[in-house]
Amino acid sequence: MACTRRAFTLAAALTAAAFTAGASLAGEALDRITSENTLKVATDANWAPQSFLNDNNEMDGFDVDVARELAKRLGVEVEFVTPAWDIITAGNWNGRWDVSVGSMTPTKARTEVLEFPAVYYYTPAAAAVHKDSPAANLADLSGKKMGATTASVFELYLQHDLTIDAAGVPSFEYQIEPGELRSYKDSTAVMDDLRLGDGTRLDGMVGSLPAILNGIENNYPIKIVGDPVFYEPLAIAIDKGDAELNAKLTTIVEDMRADGTLSALSEKWYGIDYTSTK
Amino acid sequence: MLYADTVVSDPLVHKPKVIAAMLAAAAVFFTVLNLNGTVFGELMRPVIGEPAEAGYYGQFAIGVVLALLFTLNVVVIGFLKFRLQVVIVWLQLLCLFLAFFYGFNLDFEFIRKKVWFMVSQGVFTTLYVSAISIALASVLAIIGAVAKLSSNGFAYAIASFYTSFFRGLPLLMQVYLIYLGLPQLGYVIDAVPAGILALTLCYGAYMTEIFRAGIQSIPKGQWEASRSLGFKFGLTMRRIILPQSLPLIIPPTGNQFIAMLKDSSLVSVIGVWELMFLARTLGNKTFQHMEMLITAALIYWMLSMCLELIQGRIERHFRTKSH
Amino acid sequence: MNKPVIEMRGVNKWYGTYHALRNVNFTVSKGDKIVICGPSGSGKSTLIRTLNWLESHQEGEITVDGIRLHEKMKDIDKVRMEVGMVFQHFNLFPHLSVLENLMAAPMWVRGVAEAEARETAMKYLERVRIPEQADKFPGQLSGGQQQRVAIARSLCMNPKVMLFDEPTSALDPEMVSEVLDTMVELAQDGMTMVCVTHEMGFAKAVADRVIFMDAGEIIEENDPVQFFENPQSERTRTFLSQILQH
């Protein structure tokens, strides 16, 4: 009885401590990073090859390497947290983490809640279908059941609601008029439905080219249709309100691009240099 | 067990009509299933020839043979004693289930490599999140139950609002509300405490009803006897009423705990690395999520069975103690 | 002259519109043994339950051990500590052993030390002649034994008055006498007692006064010899003839 009571007290104390800890801030992100000597990075654990758990059950991937490099150049340790994607993109992080290195597209809507210090690479977005599909070009996909990750640029593209206003991105037009749009938790889930057969659950999908290629490499029975539908600039994001951190990250990414670090990382993970649009 | 009559009729599965119906239904089922291309087709090769070319004849032949085997199996099991029946049917269902998993061509080497991490990180997190939550939820439930039974309008209103609200919202929504909503009020809490808070509030609401029913089941005489001896309310509750309602409260609370074990997977959306999160994440790079999902499924199942055993123990303990 | 332990003056009680007690007056002095009888629904149980305020009353005055009972009182527990009560259905605590049932109130309410509480408990268990059952649980005892434990439980608080609410009505017939014997002994030791019971033999043997109630009213209050041999009221006569005819 005494033992359970102690457990109760402990649990209550823990909860109370959790409530008070971190109940402050917003703004001085850079100060926090320096004082805690840690860069807290929000990223997905479920998005190979950008970020995933490797054989040693540690975070690994292109985004993770970029984040490690950022921390190194800031002179601090790095720590990864893995909230759901929609929680990251919703903004208002309240100091729970400092930066998102998650291949985020700097859409107009997102600039209302987040700041984007730097675009660090571009991925072509492509359409894919089951390998048995008769679709030969993008126009064939109009009127079909299309899948995409929920709240992603691919979904916005299919909804004809995508604005990309980052510098250096070629313009694009909407070439697919989906008959039905299905949203998924992540790109793996889209491909899992697509692999079931042509039209079984999906007729096609729009996703990032690297992710689709990765799937094909792992024997997913899917194929790319047509040229990339748009180039997606992918940026580092921070919460609003810390111009100093913003400037610092911009400089660091510029340096990384200039000294070839970014290109090397892209070659390492994709075999292709995605850090510029051709 | 239901209260059995003293007159025993033949087991259902030994009535000729039932056997015939079973045989017919199974034959139709297996025929429609079209098993020509499977291992059964190979086994039947002497009868039906090349399975790929056997067509409807092959399907039908396989269907009839499987139906005969199935019906024979059921009829034979019908002759056995209760306990033996239970054991054999369990084993057969388990084998079918494992065969189903085996059909996925799983990479067992990969599972072997990952399973320890799933247990040390995932099961551990799942268990401690659930355990802390159920403990806090019990405290909340006692307070809620007393408030719901009180004649104080405030207490009753607050408690009934609480149970109505938290039973009325999906748990996932509560997780989001607490994780994203509390910071709006100036309280930034981490993922794990937010998850624990959500589970506690939700299950506290359900368990309030369990505790209320438990407290109400204690006869009025116990209150009167306590009162006539000069016990105050708190003392009566603590020493007389709650100890007696425990045997009624514990079985449904155990069920709640088992349910919570699985519902705790919802906190993976806010980035808690519990079992479900790892199941979805670990196989991601190499597209081996079926392996991880099935492993996690079996781990969840085993955990639940362990908890059921423990619950049975506790129930027996209380049953033997009270008298 | 003895100061009254219990005094009721002009007490009225309603359940909604039902008039349960009508202008009840009576007094219990130290050492009195009073038996209350009457047909079912006559209000005798209600009456005895107002004496430690398990039931409230709306009009009139009830004073117990010098303390007036009313809705806003803070020290009802002080009254209840001094008034032992034995119920028709025993109401022992089934999750506690017999000994723990007896030790509970002295330890938790009076703050008596455990050793002393145990000693007192054993003393009263011997007095009701079941010391060998001390470590059993109530569910393992017969009805008669349970009721004797319940009496002992009340005695452990060393009350100034004992209330009995139909203590033998729920018992199998062969167990009635063991409980009545205990009550008789208690009476002989000088305990102040108020008993609601239909055991007329008990009334004749120990009662100082017998009260007959009907429809919430005290119809007749008399010494037992007068009560049984020369009842004043027609209703008393009818009642007595009904319960004594076999």
XYZ file of all heavy atoms in Angstrom, chain B residues 220-232 235 239-241 243-244 321-323, chain C residues 49 52 54 77 80-81 83 85 87 91-95 105 108-109 137 139-140 153 157:
374
model
N -27.016 -0.127 1.647
C -27.203 1.022 2.513
C -26.812 0.702 3.954
O -26.322 1.554 4.683
C -28.693 1.412 2.455
C -28.989 2.832 2.769
C -30.470 3.126 2.549
C -31.276 2.573 3.700
N -32.686 2.694 3.678
N -27.026 -0.566 4.330
C -26.742 -0.972 5.710
C -25.303 -0.715 6.123
O -25.024 -0.429 7.294
N -24.381 -0.832 5.177
C -22.977 -0.592 5.498
C -22.749 0.867 5.876
O -21.990 1.171 6.789
C -22.092 -0.965 4.303
C -22.091 -2.453 4.003
C -21.413 -3.252 5.108
O -20.320 -2.933 5.524
N -22.088 -4.277 5.583
N -23.426 1.755 5.142
C -23.327 3.183 5.486
C -23.931 3.432 6.860
O -23.377 4.158 7.670
C -24.081 4.034 4.463
C -23.412 4.157 3.141
C -23.665 3.410 2.027
C -22.371 5.070 2.778
N -22.854 3.807 0.997
C -22.048 4.833 1.424
C -21.686 6.080 3.464
C -21.074 5.548 0.744
C -20.715 6.797 2.789
C -20.408 6.538 1.446
N -25.096 2.803 7.107
C -25.798 3.058 8.370
C -24.994 2.539 9.546
O -24.877 3.198 10.576
C -27.187 2.416 8.330
C -28.114 3.157 7.394
C -29.516 2.589 7.380
O -29.690 1.437 7.840
O -30.420 3.292 6.900
N -24.427 1.322 9.370
C -23.629 0.760 10.458
C -22.438 1.666 10.739
O -22.120 1.960 11.897
C -23.154 -0.640 10.080
N -21.768 2.132 9.669
C -20.602 2.999 9.851
C -21.006 4.277 10.564
O -20.360 4.718 11.512
C -19.993 3.363 8.498
O -19.731 2.212 7.746
N -22.102 4.847 10.101
C -22.564 6.106 10.671
C -22.919 5.927 12.143
O -22.569 6.747 12.980
C -23.800 6.546 9.898
C -23.787 7.998 9.523
C -24.861 8.315 8.525
N -24.336 8.344 7.166
C -25.113 8.433 6.087
N -26.436 8.461 6.225
N -24.575 8.469 4.892
N -23.624 4.800 12.441
C -24.074 4.613 13.812
C -22.897 4.382 14.751
O -23.021 4.521 15.956
C -25.066 3.447 13.892
O -24.372 2.232 13.780
N -21.723 4.026 14.203
C -20.547 3.865 15.053
C -19.761 5.166 15.156
O -18.725 5.226 15.802
C -19.639 2.769 14.490
C -20.164 1.344 14.648
C -19.370 0.392 13.782
C -20.130 0.906 16.101
N -20.233 6.213 14.458
C -19.573 7.515 14.551
C -18.517 7.747 13.495
O -17.694 8.646 13.623
N -18.481 6.926 12.408
C -17.499 7.160 11.338
C -17.894 8.391 10.549
O -19.065 8.571 10.220
C -17.459 5.982 10.348
C -16.947 4.698 10.924
C -16.613 4.603 12.267
C -16.794 3.581 10.126
C -16.146 3.416 12.799
C -16.324 2.393 10.641
C -16.010 2.304 11.976
N -16.914 9.200 10.188
C -17.197 10.318 9.294
C -17.157 9.816 7.844
O -16.742 8.699 7.567
C -16.179 11.431 9.508
C -16.338 12.104 10.865
C -15.569 13.406 10.892
C -15.465 14.002 12.276
N -16.742 14.124 13.009
N -13.753 8.462 6.327
C -13.376 7.193 6.948
C -14.251 6.063 6.406
O -13.766 4.993 6.025
C -13.547 7.317 8.465
C -13.145 6.103 9.286
C -11.653 5.886 9.189
C -13.554 6.279 10.745
N -12.378 3.088 4.470
C -12.174 1.830 5.176
C -13.294 0.836 4.950
O -13.112 -0.358 5.118
C -12.024 2.065 6.707
C -11.010 3.109 7.089
C -9.615 2.824 6.583
N -8.916 1.733 7.213
C -8.000 1.874 8.168
N -7.709 3.058 8.652
N -7.367 0.841 8.641
N -14.483 1.321 4.601
C -15.639 0.413 4.528
C -16.129 0.253 3.085
O -16.231 -0.861 2.569
C -16.800 0.937 5.415
C -16.312 1.150 6.846
C -17.975 -0.032 5.359
C -15.793 -0.083 7.553
N -16.417 1.353 2.399
C -17.096 1.251 1.109
C -16.136 0.849 -0.013
O -16.352 -0.136 -0.712
C -17.803 2.588 0.756
C -18.758 2.983 1.884
C -18.552 2.458 -0.562
C -19.854 1.980 2.165
N -13.068 -0.546 -0.012
C -12.525 -1.918 0.024
C -13.545 -2.963 -0.416
O -13.202 -3.953 -1.045
C -12.160 -2.108 1.499
C -11.970 -0.741 2.040
C -12.898 0.143 1.275
N -14.821 -2.708 -0.100
C -15.836 -3.693 -0.494
C -16.185 -3.593 -1.971
O -16.628 -4.570 -2.571
C -17.109 -3.489 0.327
C -16.952 -3.927 1.757
C -18.278 -3.864 2.477
O -19.239 -4.508 2.087
N -18.333 -3.082 3.535
N -11.116 -14.009 -0.581
C -10.907 -13.253 0.641
C -12.216 -12.844 1.303
O -12.356 -12.920 2.511
C -10.081 -11.997 0.345
C -9.376 -11.480 1.594
C -8.831 -10.093 1.368
C -8.751 -9.359 2.699
N -8.591 -7.943 2.515
N -13.198 -12.405 0.478
C -14.415 -11.878 1.086
C -15.325 -13.022 1.513
O -16.219 -13.403 0.805
C -15.137 -10.973 0.094
O -15.670 -11.747 -0.946
N -15.081 -13.627 2.595
C -15.832 -14.568 3.419
C -15.062 -15.776 3.812
O -14.086 -16.157 3.439
C -17.162 -15.022 2.812
C -17.057 -15.952 1.646
N -16.720 -17.278 1.774
C -17.194 -15.744 0.323
C -16.675 -17.829 0.587
N -16.955 -16.917 -0.314
N -34.819 4.904 14.736
C -33.733 5.417 13.887
C -33.582 6.938 13.984
O -32.554 7.479 13.583
C -33.961 4.991 12.437
C -33.669 3.499 12.211
C -34.369 2.959 10.992
N -33.923 3.646 9.787
C -32.855 3.289 9.075
N -32.137 2.249 9.451
N -32.515 3.961 8.012
N -30.630 8.111 16.851
C -29.239 8.496 16.549
C -29.206 9.223 15.195
O -28.189 9.328 14.542
C -28.278 7.311 16.578
C -28.635 6.258 15.553
O -29.651 6.364 14.864
N -27.788 5.247 15.443
N -30.241 8.515 12.223
C -30.104 7.907 10.898
C -31.261 8.411 10.042
O -31.193 8.431 8.830
C -30.128 6.380 10.992
C -28.877 5.718 11.578
C -29.029 4.205 11.582
C -27.630 6.130 10.833
N -21.557 12.982 15.444
C -20.744 11.799 15.700
C -20.551 11.568 17.201
O -20.452 10.437 17.649
C -19.381 11.932 15.012
C -19.532 11.917 13.503
O -20.454 11.214 13.027
O -18.755 12.598 12.822
N -23.547 9.693 18.218
C -23.570 8.327 17.688
C -22.552 7.443 18.390
O -22.740 6.230 18.506
C -23.313 8.361 16.180
C -24.539 8.888 15.423
C -24.271 9.054 13.962
N -25.491 9.514 13.284
C -25.492 10.063 12.073
N -24.361 10.230 11.405
N -26.629 10.441 11.525
N -21.454 8.037 18.847
C -20.466 7.243 19.579
C -21.041 6.707 20.889
O -20.614 5.671 21.376
C -19.242 8.122 19.895
C -18.279 8.258 18.726
S -17.283 9.746 18.867
C -16.297 9.375 20.295
N -24.276 6.043 21.385
C -25.509 5.285 21.164
C -25.199 4.075 20.291
O -24.902 4.223 19.108
C -26.575 6.165 20.472
C -27.835 5.360 20.226
C -26.875 7.391 21.312
N -26.046 0.734 18.123
C -27.244 0.328 17.384
C -27.038 -1.058 16.797
O -25.995 -1.352 16.215
C -27.540 1.327 16.269
C -28.794 0.968 15.501
S -29.637 2.460 14.952
C -31.277 1.892 14.640
N -28.786 -3.787 14.149
C -29.731 -3.749 13.029
C -30.363 -5.115 12.793
O -29.818 -6.157 13.173
C -29.012 -3.330 11.746
C -28.410 -1.952 11.800
C -27.115 -1.760 12.271
C -29.131 -0.849 11.389
C -26.557 -0.503 12.322
C -28.576 0.419 11.436
C -27.285 0.594 11.903
N -25.534 -5.979 9.487
C -24.661 -4.954 8.895
C -23.238 -5.020 9.406
O -22.603 -3.993 9.667
C -25.226 -3.550 9.123
C -26.546 -3.345 8.401
O -26.959 -4.207 7.633
N -27.201 -2.236 8.647
N -22.713 -6.225 9.552
C -21.279 -6.343 9.855
C -20.504 -5.960 8.611
O -21.034 -5.985 7.509
C -20.955 -7.776 10.277
C -21.583 -8.203 11.597
C -21.326 -9.685 11.857
C -21.048 -7.359 12.743
N -19.211 -5.627 8.784
C -18.371 -5.289 7.631
C -17.777 -6.581 7.080
O -16.897 -7.175 7.705
C -17.272 -4.314 8.049
C -17.809 -3.065 8.696
C -17.286 -2.589 9.883
C -18.859 -2.351 8.109
C -17.779 -1.439 10.475
C -19.361 -1.197 8.698
C -18.817 -0.741 9.891
N -18.244 -7.028 5.929
C -17.890 -8.371 5.464
C -16.416 -8.518 5.078
O -15.911 -9.632 5.035
C -18.783 -8.561 4.232
C -19.134 -7.197 3.776
C -19.145 -6.337 4.997
N -15.727 -7.391 4.795
C -14.330 -7.507 4.381
C -13.388 -7.494 5.571
O -12.179 -7.617 5.388
C -13.985 -6.368 3.427
C -14.152 -4.999 4.039
N -15.344 -4.559 4.559
C -13.266 -3.998 4.230
C -15.183 -3.329 5.047
N -13.930 -2.968 4.856
N -14.166 0.626 15.271
C -14.665 1.899 15.776
C -13.810 2.452 16.924
O -13.431 3.624 16.894
C -16.120 1.766 16.183
N -10.504 3.708 15.180
C -10.595 4.770 14.169
C -11.314 6.003 14.695
O -11.063 7.115 14.263
C -11.321 4.262 12.911
C -10.640 3.094 12.260
C -9.347 2.691 12.465
C -11.191 2.185 11.321
N -9.075 1.587 11.715
C -10.190 1.251 10.991
C -12.449 2.059 10.724
C -10.399 0.210 10.096
C -12.656 1.023 9.835
C -11.634 0.107 9.519
N -12.285 5.788 15.613
C -13.089 6.926 16.057
C -12.595 7.449 17.398
O -12.409 8.643 17.590
C -14.576 6.527 16.157
C -15.393 7.683 16.672
C -15.085 6.084 14.794
N -14.402 -14.550 9.178
C -15.063 -13.419 8.546
C -16.575 -13.566 8.749
O -17.072 -14.695 8.889
C -14.724 -13.359 7.055
C -13.358 -12.792 6.803
C -12.240 -13.612 6.784
C -13.188 -11.425 6.638
C -10.976 -13.077 6.580
C -11.935 -10.880 6.436
C -10.818 -11.712 6.408
N -19.101 -13.657 6.921
C -19.780 -14.590 6.034
C -19.649 -16.052 6.456
O -20.385 -16.906 5.964
N -18.710 -16.339 7.353
C -18.516 -17.731 7.771
C -19.335 -18.075 9.006
O -19.309 -19.207 9.463
C -17.028 -17.970 8.064
C -16.153 -17.825 6.815
C -14.680 -17.738 7.166
O -14.259 -16.825 7.860
N -13.898 -18.688 6.692
N -19.918 -5.557 18.797
C -19.285 -4.427 18.112
C -19.763 -3.100 18.714
O -18.978 -2.183 18.935
C -19.632 -4.473 16.617
C -19.065 -3.308 15.834
C -19.283 -3.440 14.357
N -20.696 -3.287 13.985
C -21.131 -3.270 12.733
N -20.274 -3.429 11.730
N -22.415 -3.137 12.462
N -17.754 0.194 21.933
C -17.673 1.655 22.011
C -18.129 2.149 23.384
O -18.186 3.354 23.632
C -18.527 2.299 20.922
C -17.938 2.205 19.532
S -16.424 3.136 19.396
C -17.075 4.784 19.030
